[in-house]
Amino acid sequence: MTLLLLVRRSLRQHLLSTVVTALSLAMAGGLLMSVWVVKRQARATFTGQTGAWDAVLGARGAKLQLVLNALFHLEASPGNVAFADFQTLSSNRAVALAIPIAVGDNYLGYRIVGTLTNLFTEAEAAPGRRFRLVGGGRWFEDGYREAVVGSFVAQRLGLKPGDTFKPYHGLNFNPKEQHEDEYVITGVLEPSNTPADRVLWIPLAGLQNMSGHAAATASDVSAVLVKLRSAVAGQQLDMLYNKQGDRLTFAWPLGTVLAQLFDKMGWFDQVLELVAYLVALVAAGSVLASIYNSLSARRRDLAILRALGARRSTVFASIILEAASIAALGMVLAWGLYAVILGAVAAVIRAQTGVVLDPWAWDPVLVIAPLALVVLGALAGVLPAIKAYGNPVAENLAPES
Amino acid sequence: MALLEIENLQKSFRTPDGRILPVVDVPGFRLNAGELVALSGPSGTGKTTFLHLIAGILAGDSGRITLDGQDMATLSEAGRDRIRARVIGYIFQTFNLLQGFTCLENVLLGMSFGPGADPVRARSLLNRVGLSDRLDYYPRQLSTGQQQRVAVARALANRPKLVLADEPTGNLDPANAAQALALIRELCAEEGSALLLVSHDPSVLAAFPRRESLAILNQASRKGGGL
């Protein structure tokens, strides 16, 4: 009780420096937790998006680019795949399901992807989760100028069944490059928190035969999404396309391919982590400086406490507890800062990729990082505590008579 | 048996120019339980140092202080802290109240290092010194006389066997000084505490049946005599 009272009053007496120091620690804690959680969740969530598919077949090129283009609707397509190649693959006994997609158009910046209706009826939006339409509406009919719109696009552009739109050529929006073809929206997908939410889906033939597209490649597709019957099948097709063949790329296993993305971004994570650690060190230094400087003004109070019978260890402990309390206050603020940072980062990632991060998801770092910083704060209090421990009592009491 | 017994206590300080300055050199001094003694001496004669030595705040160069049957020199620092918390009540000339704490908290804090904070007794003491309506005031919100009364309540809170009062009226006007002195004497008598009060004020010294001069105690030592 005595210690807590001493600490509480000391913090109140030095309120400004307490708040400023706590805020700097909050910044360190918030940054550390955010960097860590974004890194871990992004990796898990991106990798999890591939769960409905086992592999992607595309033109010869980088596997990562192929996967990002076909599954995450990012990057440009590395090239086309002949429709015959799709047919050959889909008839392979090792393949459980093969769905072709074609890209190359957009609507107001959102990608239009041509595919077959069995993407919605036979495949899964995410592992264990089927594609579903929001109340009313229906899937598009192959061969008609109809579209099913992802939930994010529908929400952002205010689209609903019955609305029409004219696609724009290319993956990036250019108002001068609008096609003449007009599509009717037949349904809006239920939110799946996957990249499918950010896409306008139209029949494969619609995209292949869009006015202005090259007739010579009209039957080609951009990539084929593949569900395999077994892991052995993946090895066979890997051998067939990647080692024996030289025209196509078979991206498998997807987890390994996507890991390359995070490996490439590893340096960025390290820089952010380093910044967070440096902020933590600076914040710990500010705890030290703040308490150390305040000791000059508190020498008499400390001497009075000792004259009243307080032990040196009590004085020492009160300083350590004070430093730890400043850090603990900072960590309470850090959780708030973390929620703000992660909310903002999640919004950006969702807008850019359709992948949804959950700022409220449990992660051990949300406890470990604050605890570590409270310990760091307490350690920063050791030097001032030693000074307080050695504070000479007689010298700092009232003037001698 | 004496509550406080001092034998051949010596304390000196080194001056900035390197000389050794003897400040306290008391061959003998006794104080019985419940006894009230005034110790006089001009400024700079080592009165505060003498009290600090008795309280264990300073260590003597040589000699022995026996307080409540315990030889202070043989106690550990924690033991001396315990003596200060449980056996001694200290009243300072400048009150030495903790400015960040209310009157009640100042008294409770003094108790917390001893037998433990007792809010009922703390309130009762503050009521006894006439501050029942100032419990939640901070020292800066009180007059100097009121601050000294809080310091008196704090010193008596743990029912100390010995109260050390260092010029307790030195910062007060004559009216407040008289009140404070009377209050200290009354409370010590009520609690059965011995009082060793140092002052250079003749009117304060006159209120005590037993008066000692630290200068004379020191001189006695230099002459080889004692009490």
Side-chain angles (χ1 to χ4, degrees):
Chain A
M1 175 263 175
T2 309
L3 273 180
L4 290 179
L5 183 64
L6 287 172
V7 168
R8 207 171 67 216
R9 287 308 154 90
S10 179
L11 293 178
R12 204 175 68 178
Q13 276 184 292
H14 310 100
L15 190 61
L16 182 63
S17 66
T18 297
V19 171
V20 170
T21 312
L23 277 175
S24 62
L25 274 162
M27 201 173 294
L31 271 176
L32 260 177
M33 290 189 284
S34 302
V35 168
W36 199 268
V37 170
V38 166
K39 184 173 72 172
R40 207 134 66 179
Q41 269 199 38
R43 190 170 197 133
T45 315
F46 268 78
T47 309
Q49 299 301 329
T50 66
W53 300 103
D54 295 318
V56 177
L57 181 71
R60 198 69 172 177
K63 290 179 181 177
L64 181 59
Q65 185 189 358
L66 178 60
V67 172
L68 288 176
N69 180 258
L71 289 177
F72 292 91
H73 310 296
L74 300 168
E75 299 265 353
S77 168
N80 287 342
V81 177
F83 199 75
D85 287 321
F86 156 65
Q87 288 173 314
T88 304
L89 177 69
S90 61
S91 62
N92 191 314
R93 284 194 304 175
V95 173
L97 180 65
I99 305 282
I101 60 165
V103 297
D105 290 318
N106 77 91
Y107 179 61
L108 302 178
Y110 291 96
R111 286 197 182 193
I112 295 173
V113 178
T115 189
L116 303 176
T117 46
N118 56 351
L119 171 76
F120 305 114
T121 55
E122 294 180 39
E124 293 178 327
R129 183 194 174 105
R130 313 292 298 190
F131 282 102
R132 279 192 291 267
L133 292 170
V134 176
R138 60 174 175 78
W139 305 121
F140 58 68
E141 292 274 347
D142 290 328
Y144 288 83
R145 284 178 180 158
E146 293 179 340
V148 167
V149 182
S151 60
F152 187 79
V153 180
Q155 181 202 337
R156 284 298 172 96
L157 301 182
L159 298 175
K160 58 186 185 306
D163 289 350
T164 60
F165 67 91
K166 288 182 178 177
Y168 292 85
H169 187 65
L171 296 177
N172 299 312
F173 173 56
N174 180 349
K176 293 177 184 166
E177 298 208 21
Q178 193 167 29
H179 290 293
E180 288 303 315
D181 316 48
E182 186 172 80
Y183 283 78
V184 180
I185 296 170
T186 61
V188 173
L189 287 175
E190 231 179 48
S192 61
N193 293 337
T194 68
D197 294 344
R198 297 178 59 257
V199 170
L200 296 94
W201 302 90
I202 65 171
L204 183 65
L207 199 131
Q208 289 171 324
N209 299 310
M210 194 81 72
S211 58
H213 283 188
T217 57
S219 64
D220 288 356
V221 299
S222 301
V224 182
L225 310 179
V226 184
K227 186 84 185 162
L228 298 170
R229 293 193 190 282
S230 67
V232 177
Q235 288 172 343
Q236 290 170 353
L237 293 172
D238 180 43
M239 179 67 74
L240 178 68
Y241 288 109
N242 297 333
K243 298 192 171 69
Q244 294 171 353
D246 60 2
R247 287 188 306 113
L248 299 169
T249 293
F250 186 71
W252 174 90
L254 294 178
T256 308
V257 174
L258 272 176
Q260 293 172 10
L261 172 67
F262 292 94
D263 291 344
K264 283 181 182 174
M265 289 168 59
W267 67 270
F268 186 63
D269 291 337
Q270 284 171 354
V271 168
L272 282 179
E273 264 183 57
L274 187 64
V275 168
Y277 288 135
L278 285 176
V279 173
L281 277 180
V282 170
S286 69
V287 171
L288 190 157
S290 157
I291 298 180
Y292 198 90
N293 290 338
S294 75
L295 283 182
S296 300
R298 292 156 68 185
R299 279 184 308 190
R300 188 162 177 220
D301 281 3
L302 295 173
I304 294 169
L305 289 173
R306 294 295 318 284
L308 293 175
R311 295 185 181 187
R312 279 185 196 272
S313 56
T314 304
V315 170
F316 184 89
S318 75
I319 301 293
I320 296 287
L321 191 61
E322 183 176 332
S325 299
I326 293 173
L329 175 65
M331 291 311 99
V332 172
L333 302 174
W335 278 314
L337 191 64
Y338 159 80
V340 170
I341 293 175
L342 215 73
V345 170
V348 170
I349 289 181
R350 186 179 179 211
Q352 295 298 318
T353 69
V355 170
V356 175
L357 303 187
D358 180 6
W360 309 112
W362 160 250
D363 192 302
V365 79
L366 297 178
V367 171
I368 292 170
L371 275 180
L373 281 170
V374 169
V375 170
L376 185 66
L379 287 175
V382 168
L383 191 61
I386 289 172
K387 189 181 179 192
Y389 186 90
N391 186 50
V393 180
E395 281 177 28
N396 290 299
L397 284 172
E400 294 186 5
S401 56
Chain B
M1 184 182 168
L3 172 69
L4 172 68
E5 193 160 6
I6 294 172
E7 296 170 67
N8 300 319
L9 179 64
Q10 291 185 319
K11 178 69 180 176
S12 54
F13 293 107
R14 185 178 290 276
T15 62
D17 57 6
R19 287 183 302 115
I20 302 296
L21 178 69
V23 176
V24 173
D25 187 356
V26 176
F29 182 81
R30 286 169 67 94
L31 182 67
N32 293 322
E35 193 177 6
L36 308 182
V37 175
L39 191 64
S40 65
S43 291
T45 53
K47 300 189 298 294
T48 296
T49 302
F50 187 55
L51 295 190
H52 283 352
L53 289 166
I54 294 170
I57 290 172
L58 286 175
D61 299 332
S62 61
R64 173 185 289 190
I65 300 171
T66 307
L67 178 60
D68 197 27
Q70 299 193 72
D71 182 350
M72 296 291 277
T74 63
L75 291 174
S76 63
E77 187 172 44
R80 292 196 298 277
D81 293 338
R82 201 161 40 244
I83 288 277
R84 268 202 306 283
R86 291 174 179 270
V87 179
I88 295 173
Y90 214 137
I91 303 170
F92 303 91
Q93 178 180 352
T94 49
F95 323 136
N96 279 342
L97 297 178
L98 293 159
Q99 298 299 314
F101 296 77
T102 64
C103 295
L104 182 62
E105 287 167 344
N106 263 284
V107 177
L108 287 171
L109 204 57
M111 299 169 100
S112 66
F113 301 121
D118 179 350
V120 175
R121 175 162 170 78
R123 283 194 173 87
S124 159
L125 272 169
L126 285 167
N127 183 42
R128 177 70 183 79
V129 299
L131 293 173
S132 57
D133 58 344
R134 298 285 191 274
L135 299 182
D136 296 323
Y137 280 48
Y138 288 90
R140 64 179 177 278
Q141 297 169 313
L142 301 175
S143 67
T144 50
Q146 288 171 328
Q147 289 184 47
Q148 187 60 303
R149 280 187 268 157
V150 176
V152 170
R154 183 178 65 183
L156 271 297
N158 288 338
R159 295 189 172 86
K161 291 182 178 173
L162 173 62
V163 172
L164 301 174
D166 187 1
E167 300 277 12
T169 59
N171 277 13
L172 302 177
D173 60 60
N176 271 315
Q179 275 185 8
L181 185 61
L183 187 63
I184 293 168
R185 288 174 54 108
E186 284 169 24
L187 281 173
C188 284
E190 287 169 19
E191 301 291 338
S193 305
L195 172 64
L196 179 58
L197 178 144
V198 302
S199 176
H200 64 272
D201 183 347
S203 64
V204 172
L205 298 169
F208 286 79
R210 180 182 164 194
R211 297 182 289 275
E212 301 282 356
S213 161
L214 189 61
I216 291 171
L217 291 176
N218 284 335
Q219 282 169 12
S221 164
R222 280 160 203 149
K223 288 174 186 168
L227 288 176

